[in-house]
Amino acid sequence: MADLLKTVDDQALAERFAATRSLTEALATPLSAEDQTVQSMPDVSPTKWHRAHTTWFFETFLLVPQRPTYQPFHPAYGYLFNSYYEEIGARFPRPHRGQLSRPGIHEIADYRSHVDGAMTALLEEPVDGAVASLIELGIQHEQQHQELLLMDIKHVLSRNPLLPSYADITMPCPTAEGRTTWTEYEEGIHQIGHDGQGFGFDNESPRHPVYLGAFAVADQPVTCGEWLAFIDDDGYHRPELWLSDGWATVQSEGWEHPLYWSRVDDIWQEFTLGGPIMVNPAQPVVHLSYYEAEAFARWAGGRLPTEAEWEVAARDRGLDGHLLDREVLHPAPSVLSAGSASLVGDVWQWTSSAYSPYPGFEAAAGAVGEYNGKFMVNQYVLRGGSAVTPPGHIRATYRNFFPPSARWAFSGLRMARNP
Amino acid sequence: MADLLKTVDDQALAERFAATRSLTEALATPLSAEDQTVQSMPDVSPTKWHRAHTTWFFETFLLVPQRPTYQPFHPAYGYLFNSYYEEIGARFPRPHRGQLSRPGIHEIADYRSHVDGAMTALLEEPVDGAVASLIELGIQHEQQHQELLLMDIKHVLSRNPLLPSYADITMPCPTAEGRTTWTEYEEGIHQIGHDGQGFGFDNESPRHPVYLGAFAVADQPVTCGEWLAFIDDDGYHRPELWLSDGWATVQSEGWEHPLYWSRVDDIWQEFTLGGPIMVNPAQPVVHLSYYEAEAFARWAGGRLPTEAEWEVAARDRGLDGHLLDREVLHPAPSVLSAGSASLVGDVWQWTSSAYSPYPGFEAAAGAVGEYNGKFMVNQYVLRGGSAVTPPGHIRATYRNFFPPSARWAFSGLRMARNP
Amino acid sequence: MADLLKTVDDQALAERFAATRSLTEALATPLSAEDQTVQSMPDVSPTKWHRAHTTWFFETFLLVPQRPTYQPFHPAYGYLFNSYYEEIGARFPRPHRGQLSRPGIHEIADYRSHVDGAMTALLEEPVDGAVASLIELGIQHEQQHQELLLMDIKHVLSRNPLLPSYADITMPCPTAEGRTTWTEYEEGIHQIGHDGQGFGFDNESPRHPVYLGAFAVADQPVTCGEWLAFIDDDGYHRPELWLSDGWATVQSEGWEHPLYWSRVDDIWQEFTLGGPIMVNPAQPVVHLSYYEAEAFARWAGGRLPTEAEWEVAARDRGLDGHLLDREVLHPAPSVLSAGSASLVGDVWQWTSSAYSPYPGFEAAAGAVGEYNGKFMVNQYVLRGGSAVTPPGHIRATYRNFFPPSARWAFSGLRMARNP
Amino acid sequence: MADLLKTVDDQALAERFAATRSLTEALATPLSAEDQTVQSMPDVSPTKWHRAHTTWFFETFLLVPQRPTYQPFHPAYGYLFNSYYEEIGARFPRPHRGQLSRPGIHEIADYRSHVDGAMTALLEEPVDGAVASLIELGIQHEQQHQELLLMDIKHVLSRNPLLPSYADITMPCPTAEGRTTWTEYEEGIHQIGHDGQGFGFDNESPRHPVYLGAFAVADQPVTCGEWLAFIDDDGYHRPELWLSDGWATVQSEGWEHPLYWSRVDDIWQEFTLGGPIMVNPAQPVVHLSYYEAEAFARWAGGRLPTEAEWEVAARDRGLDGHLLDREVLHPAPSVLSAGSASLVGDVWQWTSSAYSPYPGFEAAAGAVGEYNGKFMVNQYVLRGGSAVTPPGHIRATYRNFFPPSARWAFSGLRMARNP
């Protein structure tokens, strides 16, 4: 684990720790005690749970092992706020997180303060590389939960007939829908995976060669306008476009459009963190399952990129898409042109790659090794970050993953094809 | 409906309206915003939903029809807070009430104030008998929800590993377990049902004759001590004691004891609104299903009374059991002796009677007619009120009802036998 | 148990034993090995299971206890063919009966022959009253399974898109739909239940007094023509007509008509044991749930009779309806007129009475006591027999019972009302 | 499609058609009508359904398009025996195949004869390459169903407490458990996929380069003896060995051993097509899920091979494992030594590769294109054939696939590791 973070500047680490912790609280600020309590489906966690669980991570993996005199804030919180670490012990069942009214939001604020104080004290002293790596992991972990917090509260609010807003957001002006442009890449052996410079999760390693045939990747993500054409062409009713499991899901769930879309008086609307808006054809389409993305690609005559293709295409293009710092909290119309622009931001992009270990992958020893490896089945890789990804938390080698039926992440797609 | 309430003293009605509304708020006061939001199972409603739904009743059935200028507080609340009245229109699905963070507890307080103000104005003018009857119905309805609110929050808190208390309660001192005494009744034709004096729900009418053979009813409810003997005699593992559906439920649910009981280090505990306490053998046993009550009665060599037997036994005995005004919020040891004491209070008592219409029963016209009649299937009648029933809300003819597998009501039993 | 059958003529018993056993085999004769193997839903049992289970009854309750030298035919059959007798021991799960290809129909024929031989030997000697009662119970039990066999295979065949016939049947000529006539009964105390003359199941006893108000019962069952009027009046779409659980079932199951009905090119058809036929308005409507019967009665301005009312109305009217001996295997148009004719045959008639023990009911000791009593919850009583009830198996005191959502029995209704 | 089969010898094709059709009937011969009717779980199909469905394939894809005068045997069979071809039209729901008693086994024999006659006539004339390819596809399809028929009937019989045998089988003598030997392969670019010589399914194409690091593959599959060591080392109770979804499945299903194993009086038994036998430590372990195979590999300090690694290791080794022609119907002890022997036969071997399209994969046009491609999600690739795979139906490029929780295939594993 120590080698995940080659050089650590303690001062910067303390600052980033503080900034990350503060951002979580800032994201929760618009939400009432009631908002922070609700769990709208088993995959969703209450806001206050995210605030507590990220705190539990620092308490459990840093304070308890590193500070012999540290007293856990509450004896039951280890049970309540462990997410899935089997080695740490039993845990409260995930689907029932919304049944817990206590601890309330004020007790959780106290918990955060308590742990922040102890962590600040720890960070005031020199820390060795292994400890610094764990703190870095805790920061990155909390950043993931910042995105989850926003995904989850969007789902919670969407279930309420009052359609409440999380925040007032100003969407960029609707623009004309651009034309898709493509960039081509030649066949050959490419290195993919994390090169060890800066932080990377264990699942991004080891860096390794892959052979790729020639391919082309679209410079823009697929837009709502293109998705409307798919709908109009009866895309949700043609089994030949779908994987068998996808078609079964379309039928059992009654899918006719992306999650959060609805048709009101013949006008397509979508629910956002700013409440309902009209669907803008120029914006990237978002909240798709893998099944929908894959079917669309077939309909459109192309295919999804593999994660290796995506990474090769992305790595020389920078990271300047719409992330959380843009504060739109929703994918925005793209103004990017061929070959020049980032593949990052706005929407996570489904790839055709099942989430599997890289050759030679080894999980870290101990409980933190349960972080990524044990989920390497029944999921597909998404790449690129989204409008609710914290800046600094995305890179070309980053592997996100969800089951193929999941739609509540900010998931869209980018096309690939054989040249 | 008018004849449900023969003479109405408007002044008293206004006072009782105000007192009932205040009691609901007082019952919610110990509960945080988070507590009031959680729904721990589909049968349970969040506290804030109870507060809003009882308000919706007055708005919908009194203010809107009676006050032409009245503006509903919010256009969506009719949808959100209708419980099951099909004639009123669509409603938000019951199992998802816990998914609603908005309106929050403060908005619901505003809603209550708004409606209370309009109702107070309505009550300052003379009201005719039909309107007075509806107000009375609304008061009685809110009293029912006061008990539901306590039943429901007990279930919510019980699911939390922190085992939080609703309130500090002082249980009466444990006493020696008394002996069961019996009172006998002769065979003959008895009149049962509501006689039209004072309020009664439609399901208590019409009063009608029934033929009963001779029977005896226990003067005391079954106690925890007797229940422990049933457990010790392997009662939960002997299929011959159980109805077939009951045995299937025992096995699928893994029941080994009443709801809220647990065995910690060989000591039986039960969860109460005051938190966990040791099981007191002298207290009435509570939180039983019909299946358990019926199996116990078979094991004990007796049977459950029919609802007619219960009513005949109860009607000359007064109403002085432990109700909500005793503030113990839990059934208390009985000090009653043969034939002299009330059958009311502490625990609702399962009868052997399926919940059916009385001969000649007719539901009221319109939506309020959906109050009781449409539930007359797949349920059993309970009689007697409980430690969380508001005083003034119980009488010998009162018919409560739950499905035979339900356990979260304050349900116990009283034995009967053939003399 | 001995007193269930006061005087037994052994010769007659042996003859009825043989005749009953032969009838079962005759009913199975039109069915292939494949037909006899299928279980189309958990409530349905395969034909070959019925043939084996009825045999197991005689082996288990007669041969093993009475014939010390008797060897059970196969050591595993006790496990495979016990239906629900907990005292007898473990049993194969009911929902999986259709997973058993072995024993096949020929092995079951051998099993039947083996047991019949041993029973015949037993019957050649004098038997005491208790044994005779058990044999009688076995005969009655097998008659019940004859009706179940036909109900079940109808369901099996109905699920097959080929809509195969069980037998060629000739329906009586369609006739004009008659008018409903009514017979009135005065209020008073009536004795209901079995009087001890001839066989009766334990659930028909003890005979006991009930008080009934004045009532009227229709002389004819409700017809398909009346049911079509209910459908045309939107009966399946009006919640105000339905019990709450019934309405939930209508919606979750998508019910729009009785089981086995379908609308093909605007013509109503129903599936029968003779294959599909056009719905005949003059025939009694059949394959209704309690929920449908109850809703219809409300719609028609009447109500269902209680089981006591039904029994009082039926007992002086004879038993000459269409039973299995008429060989139509389907309810036939009624030609009965007011007050003169039987209430028996064609369709079982839902009553408004939950299935409960009669006052003083006691189940028999031992495993045969599991016969009826343990099902006395969550079911409603039906009276009257049907077109697939063996003659000699029905009487005015007979209590059949099914859950309120069940529709695969030959269940219809007869109206009652207050005069 | 035509290019799937470059040169076709019509005579040979006719012979292989006849032989394949006969083998299916021979495999069904030991099974009674009852056996052939049962469906023991949704994944399983009745034997008679397999016999009919393989026939439907030839009728639908060959006879109807190629023989203008051909009359389908029965108008409803297209609906009943279509498995999953959306383009062909609606089909009877798969989980309900066991509800169909008709057509019976004799009608299905007639159906087979009818189609065989018409196919024989078709094959007596010259057929063009496209038609020959479809016939070849039909033969290969029927071979797949021969294996499915045996897998499925094994599951059916296993559910029966009588534990009946499909056939008498003689297992090779138990031998001492051998030692695992390994063969190493160097890193580099390899070509995998079908080279166009002889038949291959569409999912084996196109042949394409992959880059592989150095690796080693075991010369023997994992044995029951090794599996017993995994069990003894508490393998089924240690979450750190399992993928998260695998661990959840172990817990929800209560897995403690491979499917068909049981422990009787401390002796491990397994159910085979020859009935129950003692577990032989020298035999390959079989009936594992992907989850179990993957967890074992982690426990054993190795990993599963990727499908590319497996193919590289297998292709120069021949095809002489135990297949269906050995008639043991169960994996047999291996006598193979390092580097010399086939990787084929006995057990299908889970690979670590999710089932995905090869680069440039295109499904065939029309309904036969639904054959493989639409299942390329949520499944893992298995390689190598098994003791119930028909000879001639396996090759090094063959890709079988099942969901990671499936265990009723003859699935085992072979280890890989990094050298």
Side-chain angles (χ1 to χ4, degrees), chain C residues 44-218:
Chain C
V44 158
S45 295
T47 303
K48 69 187 179 81
W49 188 92
H50 287 298
R51 293 170 60 210
H53 165 69
T54 48
T55 305
W56 166 88
F57 189 101
F58 287 109
E59 182 174 74
T60 303
F61 294 118
L62 274 301
L63 295 176
V64 168
Q66 299 298 327
R67 308 290 274 190
T69 63
Y70 178 79
Q71 290 297 317
F73 182 74
H74 190 289
Y77 284 12
Y79 175 71
L80 290 176
F81 300 123
N82 177 2
S83 53
Y84 52 67
Y85 296 84
E86 301 278 355
E87 289 202 16
I88 299 299
R91 60 195 182 281
F92 191 75
R94 177 179 183 134
H96 300 161
R97 287 176 187 162
Q99 293 183 1
L100 300 179
S101 61
R102 318 273 179 101
I105 63 169
H106 300 303
E107 288 157 291
I108 288 171
D110 292 345
Y111 180 34
R112 291 183 66 91
S113 295
H114 178 86
V115 166
D116 286 352
M119 282 296 299
T120 302
L122 186 152
L123 279 160
E124 281 168 358
E125 303 166 16
V127 295
D128 68 24
V131 170
S133 287
L134 275 169
I135 297 172
E136 182 64 41
L137 186 63
I139 292 170
Q140 298 283 340
H141 170 259
E142 184 144 353
Q143 290 180 317
Q144 291 184 309
H145 279 275
Q146 289 164 352
E147 176 154 2
L148 287 165
L149 184 159
L150 291 168
M151 282 164 55
D152 287 358
I153 199 67
K154 182 172 181 176
H155 192 266
V156 167
L157 298 176
S158 78
R159 291 299 183 93
N160 193 315
L162 303 175
L163 295 177
S165 300
Y166 165 77
D168 289 334
I169 62 177
T170 307
M171 290 303 296
C173 286
T175 67
E177 193 180 346
R179 183 162 303 182
T180 303
T181 58
W182 299 79
T183 301
E184 297 192 2
Y185 300 85
E186 293 186 1
E187 74 165 324
I189 292 183
H190 301 265
Q191 300 292 323
I192 69 162
H194 196 260
D195 65 4
Q197 302 301 312
F199 178 82
F201 284 113
D202 55 358
N203 65 4
E204 303 170 46
S205 290
R207 188 164 174 86
H208 63 284
V210 294
Y211 177 89
L212 299 178
F215 65 98
V217 170

Side-chain angles (χ1 to χ4, degrees), chain C residues 33-35 37-40 48 74 76 79-80 92 98-105 156-157 159-162 164-165, chain D residues 33-35 37-38 40 48 74 76 79-80 92 98-105 156-157 159-162 164-165:
Chain C
E34 295 92 332
D35 292 336
T37 300
V38 171
Q39 176 176 41
S40 51
K48 69 187 179 81
H74 190 289
Y79 175 71
L80 290 176
F92 191 75
Q99 293 183 1
L100 300 179
S101 61
R102 318 273 179 101
I105 63 169
V156 167
L157 298 176
R159 291 299 183 93
N160 193 315
L162 303 175
S165 300
Chain D
E34 296 91 332
D35 292 335
T37 300
V38 171
S40 51
K48 70 188 180 79
H74 190 290
Y79 175 71
L80 290 177
F92 190 75
Q99 293 184 0
L100 299 179
S101 61
R102 319 273 179 103
I105 62 168
V156 167
L157 297 176
R159 292 297 183 95
N160 194 316
L162 302 175
S165 301

Side-chain angles (χ1 to χ4, degrees), chain D residues 78-224:
Chain D
Y79 175 71
L80 290 177
F81 299 122
N82 177 1
S83 53
Y84 52 66
Y85 297 84
E86 300 279 354
E87 289 203 16
I88 300 297
R91 60 195 182 281
F92 190 75
R94 175 179 186 135
H96 299 162
R97 286 175 187 163
Q99 293 184 0
L100 299 179
S101 61
R102 319 273 179 103
I105 62 168
H106 299 302
E107 289 158 290
I108 287 170
D110 292 345
Y111 180 34
R112 290 184 65 93
S113 294
H114 178 85
V115 165
D116 285 352
M119 283 296 299
T120 302
L122 186 152
L123 280 160
E124 282 168 355
E125 301 166 17
V127 295
D128 68 22
V131 171
S133 287
L134 274 170
I135 296 171
E136 182 64 41
L137 186 64
I139 291 170
Q140 298 282 342
H141 170 260
E142 185 143 352
Q143 289 179 317
Q144 291 184 310
H145 279 274
Q146 288 164 354
E147 176 155 2
L148 286 166
L149 184 158
L150 290 168
M151 282 163 55
D152 288 358
I153 199 66
K154 182 172 181 177
H155 192 266
V156 167
L157 297 176
S158 78
R159 292 297 183 95
N160 194 316
L162 302 175
L163 294 176
S165 301
Y166 166 76
D168 289 333
I169 62 178
T170 306
M171 290 302 297
C173 286
T175 68
E177 194 179 344
R179 185 162 302 182
T180 303
T181 57
W182 300 79
T183 302
E184 297 193 3
Y185 299 85
E186 293 185 1
E187 75 165 321
I189 292 184
H190 300 264
Q191 301 291 324
I192 70 163
H194 197 261
D195 65 4
Q197 301 303 311
F199 178 82
F201 283 112
D202 56 359
N203 64 5
E204 302 170 46
S205 291
R207 189 165 173 84
H208 64 284
V210 294
Y211 176 88
L212 298 179
F215 64 97
V217 171
D219 296 304
Q220 300 82 21
V222 170
T223 63
C224 293

Side-chain angles (χ1 to χ4, degrees), chain B residues 149-294:
Chain B
L149 184 159
L150 291 168
M151 281 163 57
D152 288 359
I153 199 67
K154 182 173 182 178
H155 192 266
V156 167
L157 297 176
S158 78
R159 292 298 183 93
N160 193 315
L162 303 176
L163 295 177
S165 301
Y166 166 76
D168 289 332
I169 62 177
T170 307
M171 291 301 297
C173 285
T175 68
E177 194 180 343
R179 183 162 303 183
T180 303
T181 57
W182 299 79
T183 302
E184 297 190 4
Y185 299 85
E186 293 185 1
E187 74 166 321
I189 292 184
H190 301 265
Q191 300 291 322
I192 70 161
H194 197 259
D195 65 4
Q197 302 301 311
F199 178 82
F201 284 111
D202 56 358
N203 64 5
E204 302 170 45
S205 290
R207 189 166 174 82
H208 64 284
V210 293
Y211 176 89
L212 299 179
F215 65 98
V217 171
D219 296 305
Q220 300 82 22
V222 170
T223 63
C224 294
E226 292 171 289
W227 205 265
L228 287 165
F230 175 71
I231 292 174
D232 289 345
D233 197 33
D234 228 15
Y236 280 97
H237 300 101
R238 292 166 55 187
E240 73 273 18
L241 297 174
W242 296 80
L243 291 167
S244 182
D245 285 1
W247 182 241
T249 306
V250 164
Q251 295 191 292
S252 66
E253 299 295 318
W255 288 348
E256 300 269 352
H257 49 70
L259 181 64
Y260 301 138
W261 285 34
S262 60
R263 195 165 193 169
V264 181
D265 297 334
D266 251 15
I267 296 177
W268 283 107
Q269 297 194 351
E270 67 179 319
F271 181 74
T272 74
L273 284 166
I277 63 170
M278 284 203 322
V279 166
N280 177 354
Q283 286 177 358
V285 61
V286 67
H287 297 298
L288 303 174
S289 63
Y290 174 80
Y291 296 131
E292 288 163 293
E294 204 265 357

Side-chain angles (χ1 to χ4, degrees), chain A residues 34-35 40 101-102 105 160, chain B residues 34-35 37 101-102 105 160:
Chain A
E34 295 91 332
D35 292 336
S40 51
S101 61
R102 319 274 179 100
I105 62 169
N160 193 316
Chain B
E34 295 92 332
D35 292 336
T37 300
S101 61
R102 319 272 179 102
I105 63 169
N160 193 315

